[in-house]
Amino acid sequence: MLPLTDSPIARDGKILILAYDHGLEHGPVDFEPVPETMDPERIFETATHDAVTATAVQKGVAEAYYPSYEDETNLLLKLNGTSNLWMGEHDSAVNCSTDYAAELGADAVGFTLYGGSNHEVEMAEEFREIQEGAREHDLPVVMWSYPRGQGLKNDTKPGVISYATRLGLELGADVTKVKYPGDPDSMEHACAMAGKTKVIMSGGSKTDDRAFLETVEEAMSAGASGLAVGRNVFQREDPESILDGLEQVIFEDATAEEALEASGAEAATATDD
Amino acid sequence: MLPLTDSPIARDGKILILAYDHGLEHGPVDFEPVPETMDPERIFETATHDAVTATAVQKGVAEAYYPSYEDETNLLLKLNGTSNLWMGEHDSAVNCSTDYAAELGADAVGFTLYGGSNHEVEMAEEFREIQEGAREHDLPVVMWSYPRGQGLKNDTKPGVISYATRLGLELGADVTKVKYPGDPDSMEHACAMAGKTKVIMSGGSKTDDRAFLETVEEAMSAGASGLAVGRNVFQREDPESILDGLEQVIFEDATAEEALEASGAEAATATDD
Amino acid sequence: MLPLTDSPIARDGKILILAYDHGLEHGPVDFEPVPETMDPERIFETATHDAVTATAVQKGVAEAYYPSYEDETNLLLKLNGTSNLWMGEHDSAVNCSTDYAAELGADAVGFTLYGGSNHEVEMAEEFREIQEGAREHDLPVVMWSYPRGQGLKNDTKPGVISYATRLGLELGADVTKVKYPGDPDSMEHACAMAGKTKVIMSGGSKTDDRAFLETVEEAMSAGASGLAVGRNVFQREDPESILDGLEQVIFEDATAEEALEASGAEAATATDD
Amino acid sequence: MLPLTDSPIARDGKILILAYDHGLEHGPVDFEPVPETMDPERIFETATHDAVTATAVQKGVAEAYYPSYEDETNLLLKLNGTSNLWMGEHDSAVNCSTDYAAELGADAVGFTLYGGSNHEVEMAEEFREIQEGAREHDLPVVMWSYPRGQGLKNDTKPGVISYATRLGLELGADVTKVKYPGDPDSMEHACAMAGKTKVIMSGGSKTDDRAFLETVEEAMSAGASGLAVGRNVFQREDPESILDGLEQVIFEDATAEEALEASGAEAATATDD
Amino acid sequence: MLPLTDSPIARDGKILILAYDHGLEHGPVDFEPVPETMDPERIFETATHDAVTATAVQKGVAEAYYPSYEDETNLLLKLNGTSNLWMGEHDSAVNCSTDYAAELGADAVGFTLYGGSNHEVEMAEEFREIQEGAREHDLPVVMWSYPRGQGLKNDTKPGVISYATRLGLELGADVTKVKYPGDPDSMEHACAMAGKTKVIMSGGSKTDDRAFLETVEEAMSAGASGLAVGRNVFQREDPESILDGLEQVIFEDATAEEALEASGAEAATATDD
């Protein structure tokens, strides 16, 4: 376990990851609302916002674009991922080795674990290799902990999310990213269940500014250490504004209300939807 | 085979393992009776009790918490394990390498073998690698020997438990952990079948103090070398008290009756249920 | 990501690959129109045309024929491939290691990824090893990105082709080869989706000169960096002529009309069909 | 191929292996006739009989007991094996590496091949690694060649046994252990089919002394090099007596009749059944 | 690609391989016509005939017998093979590593590829490793190219044989062994399709001398580089005689008629059938 206080992907122990692996995981459809977002440069520009503590991309995007931005954002290299052309049981290909991630200048590595999938055992063993490899390079490990599969009717049920954060702790993640379980009490339980592993909430699909900031405020109050967000930032015409708001809530202990006022994000939202 | 007399996970050849991998294997539900137990610190504190010869946890919990307790308890690193979100045939992911376990300061390693599972062959081969790797680090190997699968209607049948302890001997475990087969004669047979491999009984789900201590007394008289216990200790409000009793039975040759009197555990039980 | 401007498989950042792995992928049937084409020497002779920036073959053909042509054409070693005797789910055997490709003098390596196949995850992991191995040898990586499988009714649908080019970017290809999606707008979208990864169009089965050159003109105008072509060149009696035309369109910014006039290819076509 | 004349597991080119892997392969049930036999020490004591040229056990038994007997018997380390809790297609886990076997002081290694099983290909490849590893340590390789599987109605049919001995020769075993095919002519054929590979017969389940010794006499006359026996020795109250008889037949060219007279085994049998 | 002119397994670029892996592939039944042939020494004696350029056997036979014949015949070590007890999809176990083949003094290595089998991809990848390993030892590679599987009703159809020889070229074999496609034109096409890879015909099951020699003559005229033959030589009472005839046809450009007259093979045939 690496102390996040000193980690390049955190600021004062808080984290705001700009996630941008949608081109692999979801394909072109996620860039339709704001077509310019298909260009990784636009996202790296967005990532230069002070609020962003790391940018999460796949190997190819890191190779091609990160060298121009390495002084301006930290790299969280997502090591596995699979297209949604895949129709098989939930699984994720390991697309980058830990050694190569380190060579590309990664400040941390990310890995998706689909607990409950028929590939859970195999994925957990891949995680073992990546986690132990990351330790050799002193790289923090962020687990995308997303229970899936035949045994799960509802993958945001509180008990499932608390199990998801616990998997991060038990298997050796420094940070675990989960979906918001829907209410602050469940989030608090999930954070407590993670012990010393930090919990960050997943931004999910795009919502309006107020709803989004309120959820983040709830999550932070419940013990979360931050947020990993993609569409909820980059599918807006004005990502700066929502990042201003998120910075207030995550790093400045502001309420959503205060953040909205300070950033003027709400007004922007009106034209965004 | 390593002589347990000198082993850090035994005292006078007797063993009391505090097992705490429930967060992975069972999930949050096992912490509901005493919510504080979701915090590994609580368990490591409990493990500082003199009776506990080793604490069994998964890699992530060891990484995050063991450094603060390495002078106070011995680490039995459980190398495999799987969530119960898993709906497939009985199997267990190898979550930690032997080398990394040694690096984390493990005093012994643990491995679950599901004999009879359709993954038995694969698991036995994983065990081979771990056992031989552990020998290089002079680490004792504890096998959780739990027959499972389509051919088994009853996994605590005496013949099954005796087969389970024998698997530990044949495959090279130093200690084999099995469920109690229900009566002292069957336990004696199971212990004899294990030859020089030590047999410890699994604590199982929570029972009352008297019943629990009597079973442990029976097991010890039948030739067991101790106990690995989780819920039956940590799901009590007063784990110290039952550990006092277990210490009497396991290390001092006390009867359950004597232990109950000495430790006052029975009284505690009354308020616990 | 390697800058293609300096790449041996590009000229002024443009690419024309003569692909010749049909003997493996399709078998003898592809050589029936012009039986002499079963002889790799004929193809390597054709590849000495100035327009051809690289010749793509499997390991065995490279071993046996490339030494005589290494001063006259660049070698793009195709690392995987499978016969069409194969009746299983879309998959492709890795027939050559990256190290051996380098030893054979390859200037670049090629790899087919069937996104959407039930083997996608396995193929992506093979791609990882090849891509990272190629980086060690400073070899550009060309991905044949061909979505396939149960979830795909139409593998040249614009959305599919744009997803295909994106896979090349996300996974770390320098160049991605896709089928032409049918119209310039879709091709433009596919090229934009690829970011800094170059996109080349696949020549496909034989068409007449005008239709072929017009499609290539469309693709180039839409942002493609060139073409990988096999049958559409070697199944002609006069491959020189169509290569003259392609050279005009790809490297000289000529229209198809201009190229046809300059090369006299159209006349040749008349006798070719 | 290693010359057995000089081999530690042979005497004058003849072999009598005391096999004791029943605890793994069959479980406790094989020790019921003579309960003391569950203790490996009893078997190692039996193995000190002059007639025994090697004792075959799994890794765990070797680790725990062989150090006390290494001056008195030779170790044939059986490298694979599986419990009969296993309900899958015939297969056998590799429980010990060749290197570790050598480290434990093995004088030879053993491996079961189930020709005809759906795991035949995989097992043959495991055998390759073990056989080549054993060559590096100059260890003779004994194949338990037991055809099994859907295509085989009768696994002791002469043609099957001759195929079994041939597999030993073709794949590189020094000694091949097969079931007795039922008559001397078939055994002679099986031995001839093995070429320079020695053939030893499997002792099988317990029979009376006369029947057993007569079968061994037949096998030796037919060209066998000896016997690997477990239950037919250790399930007797007086294993010494039958070993006396076997010594006569295997090493002294005695007939069963002569051996029975000399050893008094027949009389013992009378009280044994 | 290694020049066969200098190859130890060729004479003047022509090849006659005496194949003897029938004990593994077919079992004892292939030795029934001439029982002495179950003894590898008989075959190695036969292989000392001047016509034989190499003897093809599995590892075990090479280990046990080749040391006595290494001055008299060249060793083509067949690296994979499977018993016909196997009832699964066409597959072949890799029974010998390339390194060990080199250590045993092999002059070349052989490998069976079942194109069209559901194991084609896996077998092609095994071939890659063997082919690249053989290159390190400067050993020629002979592919037994035998299309099989659900998609193939007739595995000697001309198109299939031409595809089979092409697979040898594409994947990097120096020599490809195929079944005779039935007529000289098809054989000529198959040889042309193989490019610089040499094609040898498989001897198949026993036929009479005239028919056999005529087929070989046809194959040689069609461009084949020789023959790999087993049963059609060793199932004869007088293998010398047919080898005399084959020597004429393969190395001396004789017609079958001339060869029959010179060798007197036809007369021998009369008593053979």
Side-chain angles (χ1 to χ4, degrees), chain D residues 1 6 31 38 44 56 68 82-83 111 137-138 169 177 199 224 236-237 243 248 260 272:
Chain D
M1 172 140 293
D6 319 330
F31 307 131
M38 75 175 74
F44 276 101
S68 309
T82 291
S83 83
F111 184 93
H137 293 287
D138 285 325
L169 169 62
K177 173 179 179 244
V199 175
R236 294 170 197 266
E237 291 298 335
L243 285 172
Q248 292 294 314
L260 284 166
D272 187 26

Side-chain angles (χ1 to χ4, degrees), chain A residues 125 128 132 135 163 166, chain B residues 24 38 60 63 65 94 97:
Chain A
E125 297 187 342
R128 176 195 71 228
E132 298 182 9
R135 289 297 178 249
Y163 208 150
R166 187 72 184 194
Chain B
L24 173 61
M38 75 175 73
E63 270 190 329
Y65 297 89
V94 179
S97 68

Side-chain angles (χ1 to χ4, degrees), chain E residues 153-211:
Chain E
K153 296 246 162 42
N154 178 351
D155 68 358
T156 56
K157 212 168 52 172
V160 171
I161 299 302
S162 289
Y163 209 151
T165 62
R166 187 73 184 193
L167 291 178
L169 169 63
E170 298 274 339
L171 301 179
D174 299 293
V175 180
T176 303
K177 174 180 178 241
V178 292
K179 294 190 179 175
Y180 187 66
D183 65 276
D185 286 354
S186 300
M187 191 63 181
E188 191 172 345
H189 188 259
C191 291
M193 198 61 74
K196 290 190 181 173
T197 294
K198 302 296 180 194
V199 175
I200 60 178
M201 113 180 207
S202 167
S205 50
K206 197 188 150 201
T207 51
D208 74 47
D209 286 12
R210 179 174 299 275

Side-chain angles (χ1 to χ4, degrees), chain D residues 1 115-122 124-125 127-128 131-132 135 147-148 150-152 159-160 162-163 166-173 189 192-197, chain E residues 20-28 31 37-41 58-61 63-65 68 82-88 91-97 100 122 126:
Chain D
M1 172 140 293
S117 158
N118 285 338
H119 293 294
E120 174 186 334
V121 168
E122 177 193 343
E125 297 187 343
F127 181 74
R128 175 194 72 229
Q131 197 263 3
E132 297 182 10
R135 290 296 178 251
R148 294 280 166 91
Q150 51 179 318
L152 287 174
V160 171
S162 289
Y163 208 151
R166 187 72 183 194
L167 290 179
L169 169 62
E170 298 274 339
L171 300 179
H189 189 259
M193 198 60 74
K196 290 189 182 175
T197 294
Chain E
Y20 183 66
D21 60 346
H22 304 71
L24 173 60
E25 296 282 346
H26 300 171
F31 307 131
T37 56
M38 75 174 74
D39 182 356
E41 285 194 9
Q58 289 281 328
K59 174 169 70 174
V61 172
E63 271 190 327
Y65 296 90
S68 309
T82 291
S83 83
N84 71 13
L85 298 167
W86 172 258
M87 295 287 138
D91 198 1
S92 195
V94 179
N95 297 316
C96 186
S97 68
Y100 194 61
E122 177 193 342
E126 291 168 344

